[in-house]
Amino acid sequence: MVVDANGCSDEDGWDVDPEDEISSLVEAVGRHLKVLRERAGLRVAEFGEAIGYGEDLIRKVERGSRIPRPEYLDQADEVLGADGLVSAWKTDMEKARYPKKVRELAKLEERAVELCLYSTHNVHGLLQTSEFAEALLRTRRPAYSPEELERLVAARVARQAIFGRSPAPELSFVQEEVTLRRPIGGTMVWRRQLERLLELGQLRHVEIQVMPTAHWDHPGTGGLIEVLKFGDGTAMARSDGEFGGRPVSELRQLRLLELRYGIIRTRALTPGESLDFIEQVLGET
């Protein structure tokens, strides 16, 4: 096994699902890399030695069955003298490694001008720290493989670029009290998650509200609700307790979920009260 200066082995990278439409892009990148390598007069073994990766990985990348990591592309760019033409693929390859459903969700979130999100069991993914997300995903059974776990955590964290987007979308979160009190990952991971909520709650375009367990009289007992509104006036929503949990965009269905979310917000603590509540929970840990 060959290991590069960054500690990356010849097993580094992510396999491509041939049924995923992203596979054609990965194959194109692989062909591009092969052409550049051959133009440089380098055999696979020579190229592998130069960039610090094994021959098997290089062949997989060139035939499009393995998604190269960013550091692989940077090394290849330098060795091949590509002047940034190879490194330019890093963003696309980063996105390619995320599961298809996550990529589709991220695209919708990138288009949204307003997001309304009610979470009942866990801190919403957009609000999670990477270590909290990893600890939470580790509870899944059957367990994710190390590669799957890494991909899912990275994808979840990447979606959080939405907080720094300009123009910024309006983001409204309502979290059930239990999601703040369950010590996922242990005390320190839990504390840092609460601190992250307090940090995000200070952003002008973000409102985080807490639904106390004692506030039982609201229409959120059916589970999660998400409403995404787009700049063209369209919207998409889903709820665990309605329409089989599938996304809906028909006006009547949207209005129903918007109504429920609106009532939930009025029953929850105000944003100011919610930040005070989170600080109280943090102080108790």
Side-chain angles (χ1 to χ4, degrees):
M1 179 180 291
V2 179
V3 178
D4 73 4
N6 296 312
C8 299
S9 74
D10 59 357
E11 295 302 318
D12 282 340
W14 303 274
D15 289 331
V16 181
D17 179 356
E19 300 300 319
D20 192 333
E21 72 272 5
I22 203 72
S23 64
S24 60
L25 175 61
V26 178
E27 289 173 4
V29 172
R31 288 195 300 270
H32 181 61
L33 284 165
K34 183 176 182 180
V35 168
L36 291 176
R37 174 182 61 77
E38 292 177 340
R39 183 177 296 174
L42 294 172
R43 292 176 298 182
V44 171
E46 295 170 329
F47 181 57
E49 184 176 353
I51 68 172
Y53 288 89
E55 292 182 46
D56 184 57
L57 176 64
I58 291 169
R59 294 184 191 282
K60 287 179 179 178
V61 169
E62 291 187 352
R63 66 171 178 260
S65 63
R66 182 67 65 90
I67 303 169
R69 289 178 180 268
E71 52 269 25
Y72 179 105
L73 295 173
D74 282 337
Q75 290 284 89
D77 193 280
E78 181 179 349
V79 169
L80 297 172
D83 296 324
L85 292 177
V86 172
S87 293
W89 288 108
K90 286 195 295 185
T91 299
D92 290 306
M93 292 299 95
E94 278 284 326
K95 292 180 179 179
R97 67 175 172 146
Y98 305 146
K100 182 177 180 181
K101 288 183 178 180
V102 176
R103 293 200 310 271
E104 292 172 346
L105 177 58
K107 287 180 181 179
L108 290 171
E109 291 172 345
E110 287 172 2
R111 288 179 48 217
V113 296
E114 182 179 355
L115 292 88
C116 302
L117 309 159
Y118 168 61
S119 299
T120 57
H121 291 82
N122 298 303
V123 172
H124 194 278
L126 289 176
L127 300 172
Q128 293 174 12
T129 66
S130 60
E131 58 185 354
F132 185 93
E134 180 176 347
L136 181 62
L137 290 168
R138 283 186 182 277
T139 65
R140 191 253 201 184
R141 293 296 182 274
Y144 291 114
S145 69
E147 180 183 84
E148 289 174 316
L149 183 64
E150 181 186 1
R151 292 176 70 180
L152 288 168
V153 172
R156 188 162 296 186
V157 172
R159 285 169 53 208
Q160 296 174 13
I162 193 171
F163 291 106
R165 209 178 77 197
S166 182
E170 292 295 318
L171 296 157
S172 169
F173 298 88
V174 179
Q175 291 285 154
E176 280 289 337
E177 178 182 344
V178 66
T179 67
L180 309 178
R181 294 193 178 278
R182 183 173 290 125
I184 300 293
T187 300
M188 294 312 298
V189 171
W190 179 29
R191 284 184 60 85
R192 285 190 284 269
Q193 178 61 64
L194 294 173
E195 290 167 352
R196 176 63 171 164
L197 295 177
L198 292 173
E199 175 188 338
L200 292 173
Q202 299 296 329
L203 298 177
R204 295 187 62 183
H205 61 292
V206 177
E207 288 191 349
I208 298 176
Q209 295 178 251
V210 176
M211 177 68 77
T213 302
H215 292 191
W216 61 270
D217 186 17
H218 64 83
T221 54
L224 174 146
I225 294 176
E226 295 183 338
V227 180
L228 283 70
K229 300 180 182 180
F230 309 113
D232 60 3
T234 61
M236 187 207 74
R238 73 182 184 94
S239 170
D240 286 344
E242 198 72 41
F243 315 121
R246 70 181 187 281
V248 297
S249 56
E250 194 271 327
L251 186 59
R252 183 185 63 81
Q253 297 169 331
L254 288 171
R255 291 291 180 263
L256 175 62
L257 296 182
E258 286 179 334
L259 171 65
R260 290 180 183 173
Y261 187 78
I263 296 173
I264 289 169
R265 290 186 70 179
T266 64
R267 298 286 197 273
L269 300 179
T270 67
E273 292 169 341
S274 296
L275 293 183
D276 289 342
F277 185 92
I278 296 170
E279 285 186 346
Q280 176 185 329
V281 175
L282 179 60
E284 295 171 357
T285 63

